[in-house]
Each structure stands twice: as structure tokens, then as C-alpha cells.
Amino acid sequence: MSTPLGARGATSCGSAAWARPATTHPQPAAADTPLVLAGANVVTPTGTVKDGQVAVDGKRITGAAPANAQVIDVSGHWLVPGFVDLHNHGGGGASFSGTAEDVQKAIRTHRAHGTTTLVASTVTDDMDVLVRQAGLLSELTEQGDLAGIHFEGPFISPCRKGAHSEALLRDPDPADVRKLLDAARGAARMVTLATELPGGLDSVRLLVEHGVIAAVGHTDATYEQTVHAIEAGATVATHLFNAMPPLGHRAPGPIAALLEDERVTVELINDGTHLHPASLELAFRHAGADRVAFITDAMDAAGIGDGRYLLGPLEVEVSDGVARLVEGGSIAGSTLTLDRAFKRAVTVDRLSVEDAVTALSVTPARVLGLYDTIGSLDPGKDADLVLLDENFDVKGVMRKGDWVVDPQLA
């Protein structure tokens, strides 16, 4: 498995971006004032800098503290990059399949939990509905509120449909896939496919041709069929282990093929419900943090609580934080936020903080092709960061230099 908690690369010194200044002040700076967050355990691409600093000027992290910077003492805290969620259906009582107001509400909910970059996932519906929603989500992507669109369905297997309406499923005809790409106007980031279905491999090739991630998921594919999908260009496993055949010693199925290929990034839902800890350990041991992306697969109830909700056209009952279809009882997404996934990773799964940051920020940023601007606390990147206390609870969130959650330092 990964290295023990906090073990990789810890050091007491670093570059000018992370070395602590001499003086500190307790209050947050005004929005237009350069800022230094000092005294934290700063998780960098090369390890953790103890008693370090991060300097922010405008929307960017800077390599040295500006002379007029206000300094905030965050001693005893952790500073980590903003979380990046590749797979999210909603939160705060709102869905990415809803109105523009609904979408913004869901975005705000997840930002408050540290997710500064988010891809909006749709759920299986009528093609005309998905085309209309793609238009709405593409506008919000163009505005910078979203990092793009993930189409999860309708091109998935009825044998592994999970919380998707079977009546609305269809084979991945490249013409239909192209219709969604056109509707997204360049905002499509990922499409989940059961690549064993008719048209599946051709659709993978189409997606690759258009620079869109082809993800294998909600699939009943064999090991051999999955290998063919990867050879055709599929590079992501949609919530590995869930909605696919289990790993077998004679029929290893898609899990083995997806884990063994270094070209594939595997999504994991680390909520304690979707995965047994041993399955998570298997994925990290075999693929490593550089090929794991923690996701939420969140639905409307994330950040809200128990009750009745809709996931696409299907009714969902959330009880004790677990979402299941009212009809049939299948798990219906999650109520997870990425701060909870982070805390569980380091306190329950015993991952190192550095590996958790890799799975929550670095790897998904790279998958999206955005690592030059987000995913780490390197100078020059967007000032997206999360302030965590010693218990790994969120105490502040910054996105592009603005506080989404003001630092709570009392």
C-alpha cells in the first residue's frame, strides 16, 4: 500500500514559496491585498514542508511574498491544493441535471467542502433532455464555473445499470455520442461507456479523436473486451469495482484489465459504503496514487442529509447518509463530499497525506489536462487551496485567490 501517514518527503525547509516569514497577523486580508498563509504543513509536489508558507497575489500563487503582503498565521494547520472532482451529479439539494440556479447551488455546496474544480456529471435521460442540459452546462463551463461535462449514460449496460433508468439506455452509437459532443460545444470532458456494446469501440475512438476522455463503466465486459477498449483509447475506469463484474480468478473481468494498465486512471468512491477498505487498498497497492482519482459521484443529498430525492427520473431514498433507489434498492450515487473522502483516506485508510492529495488533486487535474494551472501549490498556479486543521476538517477554502470559506482560526 502507500507510505504511512505523513511519511513521504517531510522536510522543515523549502523554496521561497514555502519558507515561513518572520511576522504574522491574525486577520484575513482584503480581496485585493497580497496574502501569505504562514506556519502550516504545506503539501507540495515533492513532500510536506513543515512550518511553511504559501503566498498569494491576485488569483495566483507566487514564488515569493510581496513586500506589502498581509500575513495570516495558520500554524498547526495543513495547506493542500483545492480538490478536483471528475464525477459529481449534484449537492446541496440540487442537481447538475436541473436549472442554472440548481447547478450553481450544487457548485457552491461542493466548493464549501474544498472542491475548487468540478466536472458536472449527467445521468441517463432522453437524448433530447441530455442535449438541452449539455447546452446549459457548456455555458457554465465557458464562464469558468465548471471544468466541463461528464456524460454518465445513456450508453451503458442494462446488466450493470445501477441507478440509471433501463428504459432510457441505448447502445453507444457513434452518431448519438457525436450528438452530445456537439451539444456540449467543446465542454465535454468525459463519456462513460459500456464498450462491449455495439458501437462501443468506435465511440471510444471518436471520443479520443475529439480530445474527450473515454471511460469504461457500468459495463458487463470481459477482461479481453476491456483490454480492447483500452487499446482503442479508453483511459479512465468509472468508479472502479462498482457497476461492473467482480474480480474472478478464472474470469478476471474489467477490474483486472483496468488496474493492470498504466494508461488507465481509476476512480474510487471513498465513502465507506461503495468500497470495502481492502478493495481500496488493492487499488492503491496495484495502481498507486498517481493512477487513482477519488471522486464523489455525489447526488442532490450531498451536504444536506437524509430524505427523498430524484436522480434523473428515478426516486432515491437517503437513509443514514446512504442513497438507494426507492424501487430496487440499488446504491444511487453518494452523499460524499471530497473533504470527507480526504479525512477518511488519512484517518481510516491510513494513506499518507501526500498520497491523499495526489488522489484528490494532482491525479484528477492531470486527467483533465489542467495540471499546468491547478492541482498543486506550485508558484504560478491558480490560488486554489484548502486549509485543514489537525483533525483534517476544513477551516478555509480559497478559489482563484478569493475565500470561498473564510479561514476559521479561533
Side-chain angles (χ1 to χ4, degrees):
M1 198 172 169
S2 56
T3 52
L5 178 64
R8 189 208 301 169
T11 180
S12 59
C13 61
S15 71
W18 298 309
R20 187 180 182 179
T23 60
T24 60
H25 303 279
Q27 298 300 320
D32 58 349
T33 303
L35 178 67
V36 174
L37 300 171
N41 296 310
V42 180
V43 183
T44 79
T46 57
T48 295
V49 178
K50 296 181 179 180
D51 196 26
Q53 76 165 33
V54 172
V56 175
D57 193 356
K59 297 180 181 296
R60 301 283 184 265
I61 296 169
T62 63
N68 62 333
Q70 183 174 353
V71 183
I72 301 176
D73 189 345
V74 292
S75 298
H77 292 72
W78 293 84
L79 276 174
V80 301
F83 306 141
V84 181
D85 198 351
L86 298 174
H87 186 157
N88 187 316
H89 296 279
S95 167
F96 291 126
S97 296
T99 64
E101 182 178 351
D102 292 332
V103 173
Q104 292 287 5
K105 185 176 182 180
I107 291 171
R108 289 193 300 271
T109 296
H110 286 281
R111 282 185 186 169
H113 290 273
T115 298
T116 52
T117 301
L118 190 152
V119 175
S121 300
T122 62
V123 67
T124 295
D125 212 320
D126 183 84
M127 281 293 291
D128 290 340
V129 173
L130 292 174
V131 165
R132 288 196 301 271
Q133 197 62 20
L136 169 63
L137 295 174
S138 68
E139 292 178 7
L140 294 170
T141 301
E142 291 163 5
Q143 293 173 17
D145 296 320
L146 294 169
I149 307 168
H150 164 219
F151 295 102
E152 188 183 25
F155 312 117
I156 61 176
S157 171
C159 303
R160 304 287 173 176
K161 65 182 183 297
H164 292 254
S165 172
E166 184 169 354
L168 296 172
L169 300 182
R170 58 177 63 207
D171 290 337
D173 184 329
D176 286 337
V177 174
R178 180 61 185 267
K179 186 182 296 185
L180 293 184
L181 299 187
D182 290 344
R185 303 197 305 266
R189 288 285 190 178
M190 182 162 64
V191 179
T192 293
L193 306 164
T195 55
E196 75 277 10
L197 296 176
L201 295 182
D202 286 339
S203 289
V204 169
R205 297 184 186 102
L206 173 70
L207 292 170
V208 172
E209 180 183 329
H210 286 81
V212 178
I213 298 162
V216 176
H218 287 276
T219 176
D220 205 38
T222 64
Y223 172 87
E224 291 77 13
Q225 288 171 324
T226 307
V227 169
H228 293 324
I230 297 168
E231 292 297 331
T235 55
V236 166
T238 294
H239 43 55
L240 186 74
F241 299 108
N242 298 113
M244 59 183 62
L247 186 65
H249 64 292
R250 291 193 182 92
I255 294 172
L258 295 163
L259 276 178
E260 73 183 9
D261 198 301
E262 294 183 355
R263 293 171 290 184
V264 177
T265 299
V266 298
E267 296 180 347
L268 298 178
I269 308 171
N270 192 26
D271 62 353
T273 297
H274 281 78
L275 295 177
H276 189 282
S279 297
L280 183 139
E281 181 177 358
L282 173 66
F284 267 88
R285 186 184 296 275
H286 203 79
D290 291 339
R291 287 182 47 219
V292 170
F294 280 141
I295 61 164
T296 60
D297 194 18
M299 44 82 69
D300 301 25
I304 295 292
D306 293 353
R308 288 280 181 110
Y309 299 86
L310 286 176
L311 183 60
L314 302 179
E315 192 171 12
V316 175
E317 177 78 30
V318 178
S319 178
D320 295 327
V322 179
R324 293 185 180 276
L325 291 181
V326 171
E327 185 176 344
S330 293
I331 294 178
S334 85
T335 61
L336 188 63
T337 50
L338 282 182
D339 59 331
R340 287 170 46 210
F342 186 103
K343 183 171 182 175
R344 180 179 176 84
V346 297
T347 62
V348 176
D349 304 313
R350 306 308 298 171
L351 297 179
S352 70
V353 174
E354 293 83 3
D355 277 356
V357 166
T358 298
L360 281 150
S361 303
V362 177
T363 298
R366 284 177 172 156
V367 168
L368 293 173
L370 298 176
Y371 189 66
D372 57 338
T373 56
I374 63 169
S376 75
L377 298 179
D378 282 324
K381 291 193 175 184
D382 290 352
D384 293 355
L385 57 86
V386 183
L387 181 68
L388 303 166
D389 66 14
E390 60 183 4
N391 298 314
F392 302 103
D393 293 320
V394 171
K395 295 299 177 182
V397 179
M398 178 181 285
R399 182 176 186 270
K400 296 186 184 298
D402 292 326
W403 289 108
V404 176
V405 176
D406 287 334
Q408 303 162 46
L409 303 174

